Structure formats: structure tokens, C-alpha cells
Amino acid sequence: MRFELKKMSVIYWFGAVFSFLLVSSIGLYLLCSEGALSEILEMSSYNFSFDLNISRPDVKSSGVVIVYLDEKSYKDLHQPENRYLDRRFYAELLDRLRQDGARAVAMDVVFSDPGPDVESDSDARLAEAIRENGKVILGVDYNPPEQESSKLLTNGLEAVILRPIDQVLTFPYAPFRRAAAGEGLVQLSPGLDYVVRRHLYDLDPYALSMLVNEDRTNVPASLSWATAQMLDLPVTKQPDSRLSERWINYYGPADEAIRGVGFSEALDITPGFFTNKVVFVGARPKTSRWDERRDEMRSPYSTLGLRFTKMPMVEIHATEFLNLLRGDWLIRPRNNTMGFILVMAAFGLCFGLMRFKPAIGAVIAVLAVAATVLTEQSLFSLKHVWFPWLILLVQIAFALFCSLTFHSLEWLVQRRKLEGERRRAYERIREQAALLDKAQDAIVVHDLDWRAQYWNKSAENLYGWSFEEIKPLNLKSDVFKTDENKMLEALQLTLSKGEWTGELRQNTKAGKSLIIQSRWTLVRDEQGKPKSILVINTDVTEQKKLEAQFLRTQRMESIGTLAGGIAHDLNNVLSPILMGVEILRMKNRNDDSAMKTLGSMSSSARRASDMVKQVLTFARGHEGERSVLQLSHLVREMQKIVKETFPKSIEFKTALGDGLWPILGDATQMHQIILNLCVNARDAMPNGGKIIVTLKNVTLSEDEAKQHVGAKPIQYLLLA
């Protein structure tokens, strides 16, 4: 048992360590890799965090308003949709915002060139409106050069062509630029799925690397950051604030979080609407395909990926600014922190799941998924922390897979072990069954209702019933049929004492009566309750016959001994009588009457003496050596005994042939054989009859000899 526990411990630790190394390696690879799968898991973790978040702050009155350049506004202002909006409307909007006391205006519109109508005073009016407002941030666009023209191969190495800032960035028209309070990049940094996740403060490192060194310090900040700097928000005064990484915290799907109005509506809206508001102005285009980019990106709110919603870029800028204003941007733990979390999670999952069965492990895995989602949503809602939690779900799935694989292998090993044990047990049972079938005793197992459960070959041979024939029968009443009371008594004693031994009389299928030495043993089930009876029966019928014959032989020997003693005493009594008769004959020779009487007395005494001698010879019954005998003499002696001892109703005759051959044998044994034949004949004729003893010479031929076991084609003396 200790070896098995030690062996299982080794298997458990090996599986746990192997799965821990595998799961932790997968988690770290997905965390640090820049492959498509890692990016998809990171992007999906970010998106699903918003989809699962049920607590959304109300930012409708948060101090930020969006003015959209939408299709309805073009129609209301009677402007063609295929041309830019007349700049006098922008001037009107800025005047309206100044009159309402707006805190700042961020234009997600790049006025890079003069207006199309040079003779019109629209540009002048707009420049004047920008100057009078005094809080306008104009947009600066980023123009990435063509990939082929931005790189140069020098000695087989790739080199970036440096360009002046005017070739990389598109600044506003000079009059507008001079009148504005500041300018900011309208560039955003979307992911592969066109969702903007990170706050952008200036150009990305690759774009900066294309500028000449002296121009890199003149790159404007992003539109949202430039607005925050102009308003002197506290976040802009934090050390290294532009370098710290922040993630956008979206407040809801497009058009559902930050309050927005159309351009034409903003011109006629109730006075005071924009008071103390930061206004972002930008386009809300109309697109058809999800990947079509016209001043809009995808929203992370995507109903768990079942559909794609779009968000105007101006709303993303406004959201970034609102994050800075409220201080509720998202943060993401550093990779070393996340790596430690993934390793510890892999450790707990692998060493934990290995200890449980697959069903319980699956439940624990589901609970781990729920705990991960709950923890992520709690951190997301309360602490504005997000992390690539889908990597944890991948780790949970792999840990469960390793656990299932380990337990499957363990199950296969145990199954093979059990199959081997079952096969060996089956072989032992077969060997034991074969031994039971070879046993000379009849072995029977029956339940307490006398129904056979086992019936070996010796039982079939003894009783004549096969096991299939005996199954539906009641052993007590239908098979053995005798000694029912004794069998019930034996059953009661077996149930009380556990075993019983005794003799029973039973019948075979053919009706033959048997004397059985039976041994019964009680068999109990696992709960200790009586289940069945094991019966071992030995046929002692022939043994009992031999015992009876042996007793008869002993009795005959006793009778012979007694007869010999009586005959000896009678012989002693007859001897003086014969001597006295001879003396009287000598004294009464002249008396004829006396001589006649004495002759009769002598004849009777001698006949009694001969009878005593024959009885004495039979009683002694000693075995002598074989000698040449004339069997006819023994027959004549037997004739005298029969006539004197058998009833007068039995007549004894002899038929002795001529020239009888002598035989080689024991006279005593032959005398006993003839006597036994005569006694058997007498017993067969209680009412009298004839006994005829015949002796004749016989020569057997080969054919006749074959009819008698042990006979040879030679000369015989036939006794009948």
C-alpha cells in the first residue's frame, strides 16, 4: 500500500510539474509575444471588459460637448456634401461659443489651405473668430510618407530618410495658426481591429524618427493633451505625465456617453448651453463597411463581438480629454507584474486541478473562470485597471486539459492494471473450476431456497443431471427427493453452527438409491449475512456394501470357530461311546439281539463322528497348498452332509461323468465352493426341490474360450 501511495505521489508530482511548466510558458508567451494571437487576446480582453461592465458613469453633464459635422447639418445649412463646409459657419459657431462662455474649443478639423472661394471673406472672418475666441485648439494632421520612399538601403542595411517637419505634418493655414491659442495632433493609434486603446500625446516613435533632429522638439501634442495644457489641468503638471502610459476609458457606445449636437443645431441652440463647456468639433461621417475609415474608428463596445459599432474620431478625442479631466483613465499592470500573476495562477491551477477528479476539476475550472471575470470587472469598475485576462482563461483551459489528460492516462493505467488483475483472477477461477471438475466428490453450491448455483462435473456424473437441467429445479424436493426432514435439519444446523457433516440417502436421475457422506459449509456475503451453502458429497454406497460383507464374513468366521469348538467337544463325547460299543461287542458275541443293537449304535456313532469330522474340517478352513484332487470324492462327501443336514423336502442327486480328470487345487477351498453352491440352492427353494451336482470333462475351442473372460482353449473340468 505504501508503495502504491508513493508511486501515485510520483505520478502526481510529475504531472503537476509538467503541466505547470507548460501552462506558465503558454501564459508568458502570450503575454510577451507580439504575434497575432497575443494581440487578439489583448484586444479582446480590453473590448470584453467594456461589454461586461454594467456600471457606466453619467458624463452627459461632465463639461464636454461634441459638435458634429453630420449629414443633417449639411442639409440644414444648404451645403453640398461633396465640398467642405463654408468657413463662415465655423466663424459663427466660434462666436456663439464665445458668447456662451465655453472653456475651450478643440477643432478636429484641419484647415490646411485657404478656402475655395478666395474672393470671399470667409477665411478672414474665421481667423478673426479664432482670435476673438482666444481658446481655440486647431488640428494638425500627420502625413506618413510612402513606405518605399521613406526607407533607404545602405550597404544592405535599412536606413530611414530624415524629413523636415512640414513634410511629415500638415499644419493649419498660417492666418488661422497665428490666431489660434494652440494646436494639437488629430492622429490616433488604432489596433488591428480599428479600436483606439492608448492615449496619444505626440507622434509615435517611428514617425518621430523620420524628422530631422532639430524638428523633433517642435512636434505638437495630441489634440486632447493640448487642450488639457491650455486649460492648465492638474494632470499636465505631473512629472513625466506625457510619458506615462494611459489607456482610454470609454464611457459608453458611440453617441450614448458624451453629449453631442449637430453643427446646425449648435448654431440655433438655446443660449447658455455651452457655458463653461469644453467643445470638440469634428465630423461624423456616414460609412457602410466596418473597416472603412473616414474620421471614425471602432468602438470597444461590440456586444461581445457579435456586431461592430463605429465611433467618430472627434468623440475619441473628447473621451481622451474627459479621461484627463476626470482622472479616470485606465491603467494596465506592467508585464513583470502580469508575468508573476500568470505564473502563480498556473501554479495554483495545475497543482490544484491534478488533485481532483475530472468532473470536480471542470467545476473548479468554471469557478476559476467566474472568479477571473469577477476580479477583472471589480478592478475595472472600481480601480480603472484592466489586464489581458483572456490569457488567464487560456491558462485555465490548458490546465484543465492537462488535468484531463493526466487523469485519462492514469485511468488507462489503472484500467490496464485492473484488466490484468481480472484476467489473472479469471485464470485462477478457471484453474480452480478445472480442479473442482476433476475432484471425485460431488461439489454443489445452492442458495437458501435450494436453487443450485454451482454443480461440478462429478455431481453430473454422480446424479445424472447437468447444471443446465438442475438450475430451475428445487434440490430438496425435485432432485434428491429423500431424507427431506434430515436435509432441513442439516440446513438449520449449518445456519446456526456454520457447518454440518452426516450421511444422507439420495436418488439419482435414473432412480438409483445412494448413500452419501455429506459435508455442508455456510457461505456469507460481504455484510456477513448467510448467502449460500457449499455441499461436498461423497458416494459411500459401495463402501457400505463392503462393510456389510466384511461384517458377514466376520460373523461366519465366528460361527465357524464356534462350530469347530462344538465339533471338537462332540468328537470327544463320541470317542468313549465307540470304545464302549466295541467292548460290549466282545462281551456279547453270542447274543444276536445285543449284537444287532450294538451294531446299530456303532453305525450311528461313526456316522456322527464323520459328520463331526466334516464340520471340523469346514470350521478349520485353513488354506493348504495346491494338490491333485479328484473332485468327485468331494462331491460324494458333500452328498452325505446334505442328506444329513438339509430338510427332507430337498433331494440331492449327482451326475458324475466317466473318466473325470483330476484337478490341481486346494481341497478346503473346493469343499467350501461346493458347500456354498448347495446352501445357495437350498435358500432358493424354501418349499423343497432338487439339487443336482454335475461333473464332466470339457475342452474349450478358441471361439468358446473368447466367450469367457480369462479362459484359454485347453481342457477343463465343469462343475454345475
Side-chain angles (χ1 to χ4, degrees):
M1 182 67 181
R2 291 181 179 178
F3 173 76
E4 290 294 331
L5 290 176
K6 184 177 180 181
K7 183 178 179 181
M8 289 306 298
S9 177
V10 171
I11 295 176
Y12 163 77
W13 282 107
F14 174 79
V17 170
F18 176 80
S19 59
F20 165 69
L21 294 176
L22 177 64
V23 172
S24 59
S25 299
I26 291 174
L28 294 176
Y29 171 78
L30 294 176
L31 177 67
C32 302
S33 173
E34 296 181 357
L37 179 59
S38 301
E39 190 167 353
I40 289 174
L41 290 175
E42 182 175 279
M43 293 187 303
S44 299
S45 299
Y46 182 89
N47 295 351
F48 291 164
S49 297
F50 290 99
D51 285 327
L52 297 174
N53 187 23
I54 59 176
S55 61
R56 299 176 184 175
D58 184 10
V59 293
K60 291 290 186 180
S61 58
S62 60
V64 177
V65 176
I66 302 174
V67 176
Y68 290 110
L69 289 166
D70 54 4
E71 182 180 4
K72 181 176 181 300
S73 297
Y74 274 87
K75 292 180 179 179
D76 292 342
L77 298 175
H78 306 288
Q79 294 289 305
E81 295 184 20
N82 57 353
R83 295 184 61 184
Y84 292 110
L85 188 66
D86 194 332
R87 291 179 178 176
R88 60 186 176 88
F89 295 111
Y90 288 107
E92 292 181 14
L93 176 63
L94 292 177
D95 291 340
R96 178 63 186 274
L97 296 177
R98 177 176 55 81
Q99 294 171 5
D100 267 9
R103 293 181 62 190
V105 181
M107 304 290 291
D108 185 22
V109 181
V110 180
F111 302 103
S112 57
D113 300 313
D117 191 357
V118 180
E119 298 179 355
S120 171
D121 61 347
S122 297
D123 288 348
R125 290 187 59 187
L126 177 57
E128 183 64 23
I130 294 173
R131 184 179 300 107
E132 290 180 356
N133 187 287
K135 300 177 182 179
V136 178
I137 305 296
L138 296 180
V140 178
D141 200 4
Y142 167 61
N143 299 314
E146 294 294 333
Q147 189 75 10
E148 293 78 6
S149 62
S150 63
K151 296 182 181 180
L152 178 66
L153 292 178
T154 305
N155 296 327
L157 300 177
E158 184 179 283
V160 178
I161 302 176
L162 299 182
R163 299 176 181 276
I165 192 171
D166 291 338
Q167 294 184 11
V168 177
L169 299 179
T170 301
F171 289 95
Y173 182 43
F176 303 152
R177 189 178 184 186
R178 289 191 298 268
E183 54 190 8
L185 289 170
V186 297
Q187 179 193 11
L188 295 173
S189 180
L192 295 177
D193 57 349
Y194 299 104
V195 175
V196 181
R197 295 179 175 84
R198 295 176 185 242
H199 277 248
L200 187 67
Y201 301 104
D202 50 21
L203 288 177
D204 57 63
Y206 176 74
L208 284 174
S209 66
M210 293 189 299
L211 295 174
V212 295
N213 294 335
E214 57 270 18
D215 286 343
R216 295 179 183 178
T217 59
N218 298 323
V219 176
S222 65
L223 187 63
S224 59
W225 187 257
T227 305
Q229 286 180 321
M230 184 190 70
L231 295 176
D232 201 21
L233 296 182
V235 68
T236 61
K237 299 179 181 180
Q238 296 175 0
D240 298 329
S241 57
R242 293 186 60 178
L243 301 178
S244 60
E245 184 178 281
R246 295 182 178 90
W247 299 73
I248 300 177
N249 182 13
Y250 289 90
Y251 302 107
D255 302 334
E256 296 183 14
I258 302 175
R259 185 169 186 178
V261 296
F263 198 98
S264 59
E265 182 182 359
L267 295 177
D268 298 328
I269 203 165
T270 304
F273 177 79
F274 296 105
T275 301
N276 205 29
K277 298 287 194 306
V278 177
V279 181
F280 280 79
V281 181
R284 181 164 63 183
K286 179 180 179 182
T287 56
S288 57
R289 301 196 316 272
W290 73 272
D291 59 344
E292 185 178 354
R293 297 177 60 186
R294 288 178 54 190
D295 290 335
E296 62 182 0
M297 296 293 176
R298 272 192 58 199
S299 169
Y301 290 91
S302 57
T303 316
L304 293 179
L306 299 180
R307 64 182 179 86
F308 302 110
T309 59
K310 295 182 179 181
M311 177 174 285
M313 293 178 66
V314 65
E315 186 173 354
I316 299 175
H317 288 297
T319 302
E320 287 185 357
F321 174 79
L322 195 53
N323 288 169
L324 299 175
L325 179 64
R326 292 167 55 91
D328 59 355
W329 57 81
L330 299 179
I331 58 174
R332 179 183 182 274
R334 296 181 182 273
N335 277 356
N336 53 1
T337 304
M338 279 301 304
F340 176 77
I341 294 174
L342 293 177
V343 171
M344 295 306 297
F347 180 84
L349 287 169
C350 296
F351 283 87
L353 292 179
M354 287 295 177
R355 287 190 171 273
F356 298 98
K357 294 181 179 180
I360 300 177
V363 174
I364 294 175
V366 172
L367 294 177
V369 171
T372 301
V373 175
L374 182 61
T375 302
E376 187 278 333
Q377 284 301 300
S378 299
L379 292 174
F380 187 84
S381 301
L382 302 176
K383 299 296 183 180
H384 306 298
V385 175
W386 84 276
F387 58 92
W389 51 275
L390 286 180
I391 298 179
L392 275 174
L393 301 192
V394 173
Q395 282 190 315
I396 294 173
F398 270 93
L400 180 61
F401 172 77
C402 291
S403 175
L404 294 176
T405 303
F406 166 77
H407 285 97
S408 298
L409 293 176
E410 182 184 11
W411 176 77
L412 290 176
V413 171
Q414 291 295 328
R415 180 180 178 182
R416 291 186 61 182
K417 180 180 178 181
L418 292 176
E419 287 179 351
E421 292 178 353
R422 184 169 62 249
R423 186 167 55 253
R424 288 190 292 271
Y426 178 71
E427 292 296 330
R428 288 197 299 270
I429 292 173
R430 287 186 58 186
E431 292 175 0
Q432 294 171 359
L435 292 176
L436 292 177
D437 287 338
K438 292 180 180 179
Q440 297 298 321
D441 294 333
I443 301 176
V444 179
V445 178
H446 65 79
D447 57 20
L448 303 183
D449 294 328
W450 303 97
R451 302 292 177 181
Q453 297 177 342
Y454 178 75
W455 186 270
N456 72 339
K457 291 292 183 182
S458 296
E460 293 183 5
N461 297 333
L462 179 61
Y463 295 106
W465 275 287
S466 66
F467 185 42
E468 296 300 327
E469 293 175 329
I470 211 73
K471 278 184 179 180
L473 302 180
N474 184 293
L475 296 181
K476 179 174 66 66
S477 59
D478 298 335
V479 179
F480 301 135
K481 298 181 182 179
T482 58
D483 283 353
E484 291 190 16
N485 294 332
K486 193 169 184 179
M487 291 181 71
L488 289 174
E489 179 184 355
L491 178 61
Q492 294 174 356
L493 290 174
T494 303
L495 292 175
S496 61
K497 297 182 178 180
E499 59 182 11
W500 175 85
T501 302
E503 288 187 1
L504 295 172
R505 289 189 175 274
Q506 297 176 345
N507 290 338
T508 65
K509 184 178 181 181
K512 180 181 176 182
S513 178
L514 300 175
I515 300 176
I516 299 298
Q517 179 68 31
S518 188
R519 298 175 293 280
W520 293 23
T521 303
L522 180 63
V523 180
R524 299 180 182 273
D525 58 13
E526 296 179 354
Q527 287 75 30
K529 298 180 180 179
K531 178 183 178 182
S532 56
I533 305 294
L534 170 64
V535 181
I536 302 177
N537 290 338
T538 304
D539 183 13
V540 295
T541 305
E542 295 299 327
Q543 179 181 345
K544 291 296 181 181
K545 289 182 180 179
L546 291 176
E547 289 178 357
Q549 185 176 355
F550 177 71
L551 291 175
R552 285 196 300 270
T553 302
Q554 285 185 328
R555 187 164 59 250
M556 290 299 294
E557 289 180 356
S558 300
I559 293 173
T561 301
L562 179 62
I566 295 173
H568 188 271
D569 292 339
L570 287 174
N571 192 41
N572 292 335
V573 172
L574 291 174
S575 294
I577 295 175
L578 290 174
M579 291 177 63
V581 169
E582 292 299 327
I583 293 173
L584 291 175
R585 275 184 176 180
M586 293 175 62
K587 292 181 178 182
N588 297 294
R589 289 181 180 178
N590 298 324
D591 189 348
D592 292 336
S593 177
M595 289 298 289
K596 185 176 181 181
T597 302
L598 291 172
S600 177
M601 291 175 60
S602 176
S603 176
S604 296
R606 290 185 183 281
R607 187 166 61 251
S609 179
D610 291 341
M611 291 175 60
V612 168
K613 288 181 180 179
Q614 290 182 2
V615 171
L616 204 57
T617 300
F618 171 75
R620 287 170 183 167
H622 65 278
E623 294 184 2
E625 296 182 356
R626 291 188 175 188
S627 60
V628 178
L629 299 175
Q630 187 56 257
L631 202 57
S632 60
H633 296 165
L634 297 178
V635 172
R636 290 188 181 95
E637 291 180 3
M638 184 58 60
Q639 185 177 10
K640 293 179 182 180
I641 295 175
V642 169
K643 286 184 178 181
E644 294 174 358
T645 58
F646 281 19
K648 299 302 180 180
S649 60
I650 295 178
E651 182 181 358
F652 188 89
K653 293 184 178 182
T654 60
L656 305 179
D658 298 331
L660 295 176
W661 296 323
I663 66 170
L664 184 65
D666 188 339
T668 302
Q669 291 182 354
M670 294 307 301
H671 190 278
Q672 187 173 353
I673 289 173
I674 297 172
L675 177 61
N676 289 340
L677 290 174
C678 292
V679 171
N680 291 339
R682 181 201 64 184
D683 294 340
M685 299 182 295
N687 298 325
K690 294 181 179 181
I691 298 177
I692 302 174
V693 179
T694 303
L695 286 175
K696 65 178 180 178
N697 296 328
V698 175
T699 302
L700 295 182
S701 63
E702 291 186 2
D703 294 336
E704 291 173 339
K706 292 179 181 179
Q707 298 177 4
H708 303 280
V709 179
K712 299 179 181 179
I714 57 177
Q715 295 176 339
Y716 291 92
L717 183 64
L718 176 62
L719 170 65

